[in-house]
Amino acid sequence: MEILQIDDTLSLKRTVDGGTEEQRKAVKAIISEVRAAGDQALRAFTEKFDAVKLDDFRVTEEEILEAYHAVSSAVVEIITEAAANIRTYHEKQLRPSWMTTAENGTMLGQKVTPLDSVGVYVPGGTAAYPSSVLMNVIPAITAGVERIVMVSPPGQDGKLPPGVLVAADIAGVKEIYKVGGAQAIAALAYGTETIKPVDKITGPGNIFVALAKREVFGDVAIDMIAGPSEIGILADDTARANEIAADLLSQAEHDPRACAVLVTTSRTLAENVLDEVYKQLPHLPRKDIATEAIENFGAIYVADDLEEAVGAINQLAPEHLEIVTENPVGLLGKIKHAGAIFLGRYSSEPVGDYFAGPNHVLPTNGTARFSSPLSVEDFQKKSSIILYSEQAMNENGAKIAEFARLEGLEAHARAVEARLK
Amino acid sequence: MEILQIDDTLSLKRTVDGGTEEQRKAVKAIISEVRAAGDQALRAFTEKFDAVKLDDFRVTEEEILEAYHAVSSAVVEIITEAAANIRTYHEKQLRPSWMTTAENGTMLGQKVTPLDSVGVYVPGGTAAYPSSVLMNVIPAITAGVERIVMVSPPGQDGKLPPGVLVAADIAGVKEIYKVGGAQAIAALAYGTETIKPVDKITGPGNIFVALAKREVFGDVAIDMIAGPSEIGILADDTARANEIAADLLSQAEHDPRACAVLVTTSRTLAENVLDEVYKQLPHLPRKDIATEAIENFGAIYVADDLEEAVGAINQLAPEHLEIVTENPVGLLGKIKHAGAIFLGRYSSEPVGDYFAGPNHVLPTNGTARFSSPLSVEDFQKKSSIILYSEQAMNENGAKIAEFARLEGLEAHARAVEARLK
């Protein structure tokens, strides 16, 4: 990590793993196999990739109870409180169907309908992410989705991590299967004897899961395919170096390809943060990952003034943006591109990862230029409503027919004229 | 076209042109060439594919004026009125940024920001589609997008159709280039000397345009890739066979692969519509296209009752749905999957194509199960806002740190604890 000057070519060094040709072929083969052989294929792949033989994939009531016993009551309380905060925030995103009416009898509007069914992928492996369960499931439930199916790869004991099961139960999931990888995505997209297909698949996963989501995209909807985590911090000389460094490192520990960038108007802060990063780094359990991220994808930029600093941030379009300046709210209107914006000293990024309420599924890799956080709207769709009255048709029919003929579509014109006297 | 019974396997016969391997290669080559050689490549491809040599791609003020002279004042008036209707409808989709505040000083919210720039593709060829200009541009302008770039392939005279230019001017486009095909998509995505890149590309096009959009997807955002047009009509014995047949044919004339399906509770209506279709068909200018569509992708289903008919419609999830029954509004709550819903005898589908106000860019190929019509929201994105106060941090910091440790992310916990006393 070093201190750099801002120039026109400023950009986050980013890298997205698109997978190898071999991985793509493997994923395609797994999907075909699941489509052809259903549950039998799921069993075979689970034995092969997760090293466990399962007859029944569905998580039972007993397993949920066991999970509650395996975690402390403090953890249950924290997950419950986090879930309540996430629910409260996402309920604010609900928008009603609406209509307008005109005196001639016309009614126009938009009907909002929840998706019928959604599949949520929860990654397995060494880490368990109850927060990922909450952040994907709660918006779907809030949207009114009736059937939510969770899938996650089992451990070698044939079980899912208790924190994940408790989070799923608190969030309100009733249908959980112990299956992971590309085979789980295939099952969600096309169905098997046990798992009925869904309309949309969300949730993070490894490269095989990401490639499988790309592959089934179109037959079902998918959420964005996330790149490595990113943080951009905009700070002036009121910021504390140890806190800024800790926040940069909290992103860096996620992934060796995570991005952590500070843009500051204060050279002193820049230098102190650089020192602090290398002071705190060696004491982190995930220091190997964090070091790789900081060295390859970390940077500190010094800006001449706040205007230039804000310009740099908009150019970076980071997934997470912290503004730690004298008047962070005053800068909000200038920020154009960021997935989530954390304002002020106490809005450390992990506050948003787990607890505050907004979603932690955010656009990465510069897509904050055109994408939004995961929301209730991702689990609903709209239908336009058009009701034309006889009077409206008599007033406008001839014009509509003329427009159709301008475009060379005679049958359109005649369909309208069939209603005219 | 024939009369069929509803069964469980009911589905629209649909086909989406995914392009050939050769076409995909050609598109990739065009994109690389434009990225490497910029304007020079655009000139070369325009000469090759559009058979016209252009030095300057930008449409001039004089060309706009000429276009106004080339169309009748009646047409200008109709386009102006249609544009006003479309604007009025789409303004209703605008949603404000919002926030919630808590007594402990926390502020949470969602900031809505328009995209910086959008490119709209308008197809060329024999037909000109001013309505496509209005339907793509007006939501973008309503959303607050500052830079809207329109591209469309020139005719052999080096010009764009006057109807398209007039519609663009009425909609408010200030930057129009005479370039089409995959080369236009490449220019919009990556920029050339003349055309600065945009953040999102929308608008329909031929297979080369569709493949190019797929190819640049991720570097920029794109809208849905539309399949052939579809109509589903739900009718009882109150419907008039000649009108229903005319509406089926209005979709069929779009494309030899367009789908036109009637689901009715009345066998008499079914038989009469079948007769009417073959009576009207020979008199259509585009009868060859319509015949192919009706024979291959047309069907009439007879249902036992409205319940079964609605079930069939939800299974089909058509792009356009007409409900021509005794009480169409009463069925609205049962309709789950349709891009646009036209209610009653006078709401003939072409009313929505041009004039009523709702967008005519709609989900095809069953994607109405999870997708929505093009809207203002497609040209905006959201950022989450999180402001935690000192008090909020003191109340919740320990819980957040514990959640982080549950997920094995120690640096997250320490970033929070750096703020705690």
Side-chain angles (χ1 to χ4, degrees):
Chain A
M1 194 183 223
E2 52 182 338
I3 298 177
L4 304 163
Q5 284 296 322
I6 291 175
D7 66 21
D8 288 347
T9 63
L10 171 85
S11 71
L12 284 187
K13 281 184 252 159
R14 286 166 163 131
T15 167
V16 175
D17 185 357
T20 63
E21 192 52 47
E22 213 166 49
Q23 287 170 328
R24 274 193 290 274
K25 269 192 195 157
V27 163
K28 278 187 195 188
I30 291 169
I31 293 173
S32 315
E33 186 67 20
V34 172
R35 291 184 80 164
D39 283 346
Q40 198 192 314
L42 293 187
R43 277 190 209 99
F45 288 124
T46 301
E47 192 173 349
K48 182 171 173 189
F49 297 124
D50 303 307
V52 56
K53 269 194 173 181
L54 288 182
D55 280 327
D56 199 350
F57 296 101
R58 183 118 184 207
V59 169
T60 61
E61 299 257 342
E62 291 77 55
E63 285 175 287
I64 303 282
L65 280 176
E66 256 180 56
Y68 273 98
H69 289 124
V71 298
S72 70
S73 64
V75 162
V76 173
E77 269 172 45
I78 292 170
I79 294 178
T80 303
E81 193 175 344
N85 291 344
I86 296 165
R87 202 173 293 121
T88 300
Y89 179 87
H90 286 82
E91 280 169 357
K92 299 279 188 299
Q93 294 175 334
L94 283 167
R95 295 285 171 269
S97 300
W98 57 264
M99 60 161 188
T100 62
T101 54
E103 279 198 38
N104 67 9
T106 297
M107 180 181 91
L108 302 175
Q110 198 173 270
K111 179 178 188 281
V112 180
T113 313
L115 304 194
D116 282 347
S117 56
V118 166
V120 173
Y121 190 91
V122 178
T126 50
Y129 294 113
S131 63
S132 180
V133 175
L134 301 183
M135 292 295 183
N136 282 277
V137 169
I138 293 174
I141 288 189
T142 305
V145 176
E146 280 194 12
R147 180 170 168 253
I148 294 169
V149 185
M150 198 177 104
V151 294
S152 192
Q156 289 187 27
D157 59 354
K159 293 189 178 170
L160 297 186
V164 164
L165 289 181
V166 167
D169 188 65
I170 288 171
V173 186
K174 306 283 177 216
E175 189 178 343
I176 309 173
Y177 299 100
K178 294 177 281 188
V179 59
Q183 60 275 21
I185 302 299
L188 289 174
Y190 304 110
T192 68
E193 299 88 325
T194 304
I195 305 177
K196 277 199 301 173
V198 299
D199 291 318
K200 184 166 188 166
I201 302 172
T202 75
N206 64 17
I207 184 66
F208 292 98
V209 171
L211 290 174
K213 280 166 73 181
R214 255 185 217 285
E215 196 62 34
V216 302
F217 171 55
D219 291 328
V220 296
I222 61 168
D223 60 350
M224 54 192 122
I225 294 184
S229 198
E230 307 160 1
I231 190 167
I233 303 181
L234 171 59
D236 64 13
D237 56 12
T238 65
R240 284 150 180 85
N242 68 317
E243 296 173 5
I244 302 299
D247 290 357
L248 291 171
L249 290 170
S250 80
Q251 286 308 296
E253 77 169 336
H254 268 300
D255 191 308
R257 298 170 302 141
C259 293
V261 172
L262 167 64
V263 181
T264 177
T265 51
S266 162
R267 179 157 285 274
T268 312
L269 183 75
E271 285 161 3
N272 292 341
V273 167
L274 192 65
D275 288 350
E276 273 288 337
V277 164
Y278 288 109
K279 207 172 107 188
Q280 296 178 23
L281 194 46
H283 304 290
L284 291 176
R286 293 164 71 95
K287 61 172 178 276
D288 294 347
I289 292 170
T291 303
E292 220 182 301
I294 287 289
E295 291 311 331
N296 297 324
F297 303 103
I300 298 176
Y301 288 97
V302 177
D304 290 339
D305 50 33
L306 271 179
E307 200 72 22
E308 188 184 48
V310 167
I313 289 294
N314 280 330
Q315 224 172 306
L316 297 172
E319 181 193 16
H320 303 96
L321 169 63
E322 286 184 8
I323 307 183
V324 190
T325 59
E326 207 178 344
N327 177 16
V329 174
L331 290 175
L332 204 44
K334 292 188 199 293
I335 300 298
K336 292 164 81 175
H337 308 304
I341 307 171
F342 296 78
L343 298 168
R345 182 184 165 200
Y346 295 100
S347 308
S348 174
E349 189 276 333
V351 166
D353 281 345
Y354 304 112
F355 201 79
N359 211 286
H360 78 192
V361 181
L362 298 166
T364 54
N365 200 32
T367 58
R369 292 186 67 82
F370 47 74
S371 298
S372 305
L374 189 70
S375 78
V376 163
E377 291 170 292
D378 290 302
F379 299 102
Q380 299 176 322
K381 77 296 182 24
K382 288 141 196 161
S383 304
S384 305
I385 306 291
I386 299 176
L387 190 160
Y388 242 41
S389 64
E390 181 173 5
Q391 190 187 332
M393 179 54 99
N394 285 332
E395 283 168 14
N396 300 309
K399 292 180 263 184
I400 297 169
E402 184 161 352
F403 204 142
R405 292 201 171 97
L406 177 68
E407 299 200 342
L409 295 173
E410 178 65 23
H412 282 60
R414 290 187 192 174
V416 169
E417 285 168 352
R419 272 78 172 188
L420 296 175
K421 301 278 145 44
Chain B
M1 196 183 222
E2 53 181 337
I3 298 177
L4 304 164
Q5 283 297 320
I6 291 175
D7 64 23
D8 288 347
T9 64
L10 171 85
S11 71
L12 284 187
K13 280 182 254 161
R14 287 164 162 131
T15 167
V16 175
D17 185 357
T20 63
E21 192 52 46
E22 213 166 48
Q23 287 171 327
R24 274 193 289 273
K25 270 192 193 158
V27 163
K28 279 186 193 188
I30 292 169
I31 293 173
S32 314
E33 187 66 19
V34 172
R35 292 185 80 164
D39 283 348
Q40 199 191 312
L42 293 187
R43 277 190 207 96
F45 287 124
T46 302
E47 192 173 347
K48 182 173 174 188
F49 297 124
D50 304 308
V52 57
K53 270 193 174 182
L54 288 182
D55 281 327
D56 199 350
F57 296 102
R58 181 118 183 205
V59 169
T60 62
E61 299 257 343
E62 292 77 57
E63 285 175 288
I64 303 282
L65 280 175
E66 256 180 55
Y68 272 98
H69 289 125
V71 298
S72 71
S73 64
V75 162
V76 173
E77 269 171 46
I78 292 170
I79 293 178
T80 304
E81 194 175 343
N85 291 345
I86 296 166
R87 202 173 292 120
T88 300
Y89 179 86
H90 285 82
E91 280 168 358
K92 299 278 188 301
Q93 294 176 332
L94 283 167
R95 295 286 172 268
S97 299
W98 56 264
M99 59 161 189
T100 62
T101 54
E103 280 198 38
N104 67 10
T106 296
M107 180 180 92
L108 302 175
Q110 197 171 271
K111 180 178 187 280
V112 181
T113 312
L115 304 194
D116 282 348
S117 56
V118 166
V120 173
Y121 190 91
V122 178
T126 50
Y129 294 111
S131 63
S132 181
V133 176
L134 302 182
M135 292 295 183
N136 281 275
V137 169
I138 292 173
I141 288 189
T142 306
V145 176
E146 280 194 11
R147 181 169 168 255
I148 293 169
V149 186
M150 198 177 102
V151 295
S152 191
Q156 287 188 30
D157 59 355
K159 293 188 178 170
L160 296 186
V164 164
L165 288 181
V166 167
D169 189 64
I170 288 171
V173 185
K174 306 286 178 214
E175 190 179 342
I176 308 173
Y177 299 99
K178 294 177 282 189
V179 59
Q183 60 273 22
I185 301 299
L188 289 174
Y190 303 110
T192 68
E193 299 89 323
T194 304
I195 305 177
K196 278 197 301 174
V198 299
D199 292 317
K200 183 166 189 167
I201 303 173
T202 75
N206 64 17
I207 184 68
F208 293 98
V209 171
L211 290 175
K213 281 167 72 182
R214 255 185 219 282
E215 196 63 34
V216 302
F217 172 55
D219 292 330
V220 296
I222 61 168
D223 61 349
M224 55 193 119
I225 294 185
S229 198
E230 306 159 2
I231 190 167
I233 303 181
L234 170 59
D236 63 14
D237 56 12
T238 66
R240 285 152 180 83
N242 67 318
E243 296 173 6
I244 301 299
D247 290 357
L248 291 171
L249 290 170
S250 80
Q251 286 308 297
E253 77 169 337
H254 268 300
D255 191 308
R257 297 170 302 142
C259 294
V261 171
L262 167 65
V263 181
T264 178
T265 49
S266 161
R267 177 158 286 273
T268 312
L269 183 75
E271 285 162 2
N272 293 342
V273 168
L274 192 64
D275 288 349
E276 272 289 335
V277 164
Y278 288 109
K279 205 172 108 189
Q280 296 178 21
L281 193 46
H283 305 290
L284 292 176
R286 293 164 72 92
K287 61 174 177 275
D288 294 347
I289 292 170
T291 303
E292 220 181 302
I294 287 290
E295 291 309 333
N296 296 323
F297 303 102
I300 298 176
Y301 288 96
V302 178
D304 290 338
D305 51 33
L306 272 178
E307 200 71 23
E308 188 185 49
V310 167
I313 290 294
N314 281 330
Q315 225 172 306
L316 297 172
E319 180 192 17
H320 304 95
L321 168 63
E322 288 184 7
I323 307 183
V324 192
T325 59
E326 206 178 346
N327 176 17
V329 175
L331 291 174
L332 205 43
K334 292 190 200 292
I335 301 298
K336 293 164 82 175
H337 309 303
I341 306 171
F342 296 77
L343 298 168
R345 181 183 165 201
Y346 294 101
S347 308
S348 174
E349 189 277 333
V351 166
D353 281 345
Y354 304 112
F355 201 78
N359 211 287
H360 78 193
V361 181
L362 297 167
T364 54
N365 199 32
T367 59
R369 291 186 68 81
F370 47 74
S371 299
S372 304
L374 190 70
S375 78
V376 162
E377 291 170 290
D378 291 302
F379 299 102
Q380 300 176 320
K381 79 292 183 26
K382 288 141 197 162
S383 303
S384 306
I385 306 292
I386 299 174
L387 190 160
Y388 241 43
S389 63
E390 183 174 3
Q391 190 187 332
M393 180 53 100
N394 285 332
E395 284 168 12
N396 300 308
K399 291 180 262 183
I400 297 169
E402 183 161 351
F403 205 143
R405 290 200 172 97
L406 178 67
E407 298 200 343
L409 296 172
E410 177 65 23
H412 282 60
R414 291 188 192 174
V416 169
E417 286 169 350
R419 272 77 171 189
L420 296 175
K421 299 281 143 43

